[in-house]
Amino acid sequence: MKDLLKIALDEAQRLGADYADARYMKRQHEPITTKNGAVQSIARTEDSGVGVRVLVKGGWGFCSSSVMTPEELRRCAAEAVKIARASASVQRDPIVLSELTPVVDKYKSTVKIDPFEMPMEDKLDLLKSLDEEMKSHDQVRVATSMLSALKYHKWFVSTEGSEIEQEILETGINISATAAGNNDVQRRSFSDYSQAGFEFITSMDLAGTARSLGKEAVELLTADVCPKTKTSLILGSSILALQIHESTGHPIELDRVLGSEATYAGTSFLNPHMLGNYQYGSPDVTLVADATIPGGLGTFGWDDEGVPAQRTTIVDKGLFVNYLTSRETAAAIGQKSNGTARADSWSNIPLVRMVNISLDPGDWTLDEIIKDTKHGVFMEQPKSWSLDDKRLNFHFSTEYAYEIEDGSITKLLKNPAYTDMTTHFWNACDAVSGKQDGEWHLWGMPSCAKGEPIQIAHPAHGAAPARFRDIKVGVGE
Amino acid sequence: MIGRDKSFEVMEHVLKQTGADQAEVRLQGENFNMSRFARNTIHQNLTKNNATLTLKVVFGKKIGTATVNRLDSEGIKQLVETAEMLAKLQEDNRDFVSLPEPTDHQDMTNYYAATATCTPEERAKTIEAVINAADKVDYLAYGSFFTETSELAVLSSLGTRAYNQSTSSYLRTVIGNDRDPGTGYADSLSRNVADIDAAAVGEEAVKRALLSQGGRDITTGEYEVVFTPYAVSDLIRFLGYLGFNGGAVQDGRSFMSSKMGQQITGSNISIWDDAYNPHTLNMPFDMEGVAKQKISLIEDGIARGAVYDSFAAHKDGNKSTGHAMPRYVGGLPANMVMAAGSSSLDEMIKNTKKGIYITRFHYTHCPEPMEVIMTGTTRDGTYYIENGEIKHPIKNLRMTDSVLRVLSHASLISADRKLQRDWWSTFNSLLPAIKVEKCKFTGATTF
């Protein structure tokens, strides 16, 4: 493969490219869905091709093709050079890449049971049994289960001498129960993904989870609505993972800061002059980007520019200290890339994307936080999320909540929501759990959209339940 | 592009390879070209070429689907084997009746050579025109410009035989400066790139950006609101995605499920889906090769209907309305059209006592789908209107309100409509500007 890809590099250099890389990717996806115990769909997609990226006089050009022949690779390289020259014609400052030591190496996910190699019957039996567990409650109208297996095989070569091969496998599950009654419709769901094989699925008590989801969806039909007030908000691990994703992960992407995503995904309030001197959160808040955590969806050997996976502290005891960067964006602020340039396919260019961005565990347990809360609300499981285009003002709603009075959970609440400004929120954090085993969890999120054309990245976020003081809850209608 | 003859040759070869009771093969070709710009510089620039084959096979009531992006005999062999293997592993799908019967679709013009042949140099010149507009006032332009040629072909064992090649182009920009957070936006979407006036797009965004400098705080609460078509597209997105989806109506997940025939918005609101309207991104048939029907969704404020793919339609004993998507969702309206009124943006502003002008929204979501409660922040031009005049720019606000309630208070609708893509790029719809008497804002940003 690498010899085929090098044809594109040679052609690009012959035509005047100052730098070129070629990236092959083969992607296999098998989503299986059941609904109310019946198979909804079984599909398998396979997709492969090459993307050739070149830099000519400081302008980028990229051409991708699904046809893997020497002639097509040469055509792609020539087209990329032509596009790069057009880019260079509309340019204030030429693009510069940060330094990189080339590497020749391989990376492969650790997998015990390859879901692609398993009997289909076993996978269907699991999903149908989960539907049945959820449907065991009368008012559950719709129960759906989805098992996803995704395999990538990637090759990266560059004119700087890198030759990298990576094989990555992800497995994940989504289940949801929708109940109707009492003039209401309520949904409970669970979703998690890991860079692992089917052993990730069997490591969970999914039957128990499915049973609980059905029961909880029904209970929500008659629950009180979350009141509108300002109170202490305790977020469960799953919604906190999404909060990290949206209000930390996105604003620390340096390409957004530099305006790359201004019209679509938006920009960021975290300007470079804030690096090292901006109190992003309270001293209880330490956030780390780590592409080396075993099992994380944001884990790899090298990013799609050939930069090694690494661990970078983003917020250190509340202080904002680092961005996520690519070679191009890092150079713009005089740094070296910290290895977060990722492309979702051979046909798209690498962008700055989240890896595994996590909140360090604290020295509380969730029980201790609840006992320490006089009035408050515990919310869990994302339902909706919305942020402004600089990632300051946000509104999240969750599937369920519990009222807390005098240190105890008193009742279930439906239609909960909370809203705040990002820096007020993280500075209002005064307790982070994680002292007890199982409280801190790394959630795989295979649905992060960014870029034009849109790309879907697969990051992960680790979090344990945490408390935030004086937050507006139950907002809106 | 693969072309009509070659597409059918490949698809006929696929159908011959399968022994399924029913089979449907879809070929989708793509040549996509995009240049993105930031701070008056093209910073991303790409072309992508791909063609995928998707095969759906049916044995009794067992269905298997596979997709590959290889059109050679080895790729086709793998496609057929995988789809058949997946189908045979399944139990009967109780709700499946049949693949759709063939339908006759009308010819239409949705391919423009100027779009298909647009070069990287021409894209750069288009972007330069936007940058020049920004440069004139010492501002910076950000945005993207794409041209695309797509082909869709469907062939089935029941006799469906459909092919279409179409083009589209889209230019959008945000213009601002480093001195003030106020920005302005404009875009233009068309099947024909010759319709896109880059200088006009740049000037419109500059005008809004200049008007956005020095945004002031405003108290949140309920206001009269003037929504441009950019902003209306996000209101309509949730109706389309959550309400007009036939599968959601069947499941009881749509706000329309129990309200067909009832008044759900003001009587001046009518929305229908019409893929034959030449002012939309028109398309003769859907992903199953079924001819698209014009479907009334809301008529004079009354819930009238939803759109269906064959699976969902057959479940109710009906025929598909021609709204199948690549993967089963029950049907989505891809060409929504909202009835025009007789007003204009100027008249709406003149008829506003105390209100807010919203250019567009960012990251809208729907926390309560059954009531269609939408939340999202404004951006790129939010202004305070008092006594019939735009008084000053304001810092961006968070709107949280029921779209149905908001549309129940629509007092003026513009005569002009614009082909508009929503923030999330879910739909491309033909939409007017709207003035409403009541809309709730629950929060504000600092810029």
Side-chain angles (χ1 to χ4, degrees), chain A residues 46 48 128 262 386 393 477, chain B residues 78 91 363 379 398 440:
Chain A
E46 186 174 309
S48 62
K128 285 190 277 189
S386 168
N393 179 294
E477 285 286 321
Chain B
Q78 180 194 332
E91 291 175 357
Y363 215 143
R379 64 175 295 188
R398 171 170 295 285
K440 288 178 188 168

Side-chain angles (χ1 to χ4, degrees), chain B residues 15-249:
Chain B
L15 284 189
K16 277 181 194 160
Q17 306 300 307
T18 175
D21 299 334
Q22 294 185 355
E24 174 188 286
V25 59
R26 182 174 78 231
L27 188 151
Q28 288 173 268
E30 175 192 37
N31 169 245
F32 181 87
N33 309 284
M34 175 174 261
S35 305
R36 299 180 87 193
F37 51 106
R39 302 184 71 81
N40 293 357
T41 289
I42 293 179
H43 68 296
Q44 291 171 13
N45 210 347
L46 63 89
T47 182
K48 53 200 273 188
N49 296 285
N50 197 13
T52 59
L53 269 175
T54 299
L55 175 65
K56 186 189 285 182
V57 294
V58 181
F59 292 90
K61 281 179 175 278
K62 298 177 178 22
I63 307 165
T65 306
T67 301
V68 293
N69 72 336
R70 294 175 60 183
L71 308 186
D72 58 5
S73 52
E74 195 185 324
I76 289 170
K77 184 167 177 279
Q78 180 194 332
L79 177 75
V80 174
E81 285 175 359
T82 305
E84 291 191 349
M85 179 267 292
L86 292 176
K88 286 173 182 171
L89 284 168
Q90 295 207 33
E91 291 175 357
D92 285 354
N93 188 324
R94 297 186 291 257
D95 293 327
F96 176 77
V97 177
S98 169
L99 293 176
E101 292 291 332
T103 54
D104 292 327
H105 56 265
Q106 299 168 26
D107 286 333
M108 62 170 58
T109 304
N110 60 1
Y111 174 89
Y112 294 86
T115 310
T117 59
C118 186
T119 64
E121 293 82 4
E122 287 168 330
R123 293 203 306 276
K125 279 183 183 161
T126 300
I127 288 168
E128 212 163 12
V130 176
I131 290 173
N132 287 344
D135 232 2
K136 272 185 205 164
V137 290
D138 192 23
Y139 277 40
L140 298 165
Y142 305 79
S144 61
F145 177 41
F146 78 71
T147 57
E148 180 178 29
T149 307
S150 308
E151 62 186 347
L152 171 63
V154 185
L155 190 71
S156 84
S157 60
L158 300 189
T160 295
R161 188 179 177 87
Y163 177 89
N164 180 264
Q165 193 168 144
S166 63
T167 55
S168 58
S169 52
Y170 184 43
L171 171 68
R172 62 173 164 180
T173 187
V174 167
I175 288 178
N177 62 56
D178 291 337
R179 305 174 289 277
D180 185 283
T183 50
Y185 177 83
D187 71 22
S188 182
L189 169 67
S190 176
R191 289 234 178 258
N192 186 356
V193 73
D195 291 341
I196 290 182
D197 183 341
V201 168
E203 281 158 21
E204 182 187 332
V206 164
K207 193 176 161 192
R208 281 207 177 85
L210 292 170
L211 197 56
S212 298
Q213 303 301 292
R216 301 183 203 170
D217 291 315
I218 191 170
T219 310
T220 56
E222 195 167 80
Y223 287 91
E224 296 170 72
V225 175
V226 173
F227 296 101
T228 70
Y230 300 122
V232 172
S233 67
D234 266 70
L235 304 181
I236 300 308
R237 178 165 84 95
F238 293 110
L239 300 182
Y241 181 59
L242 300 165
F244 303 148
N245 170 339
V249 171

Side-chain angles (χ1 to χ4, degrees), chain A residues 379-418:
Chain A
M379 294 191 194
E380 179 61 312
Q381 194 59 31
K383 185 173 171 187
S384 75
W385 47 96
S386 168
L387 297 95
D388 71 37
D389 53 296
K390 289 186 190 292
R391 300 273 155 174
L392 275 167
N393 179 294
F394 63 75
H395 178 289
F396 287 80
S397 68
T398 63
E399 290 183 354
Y400 71 100
Y402 289 112
E403 179 188 74
I404 297 167
E405 288 295 332
D406 295 324
S408 298
I409 286 175
T410 46
K411 63 179 174 184
L412 180 68
L413 300 170
K414 69 179 174 186
N415 303 344
Y418 64 98

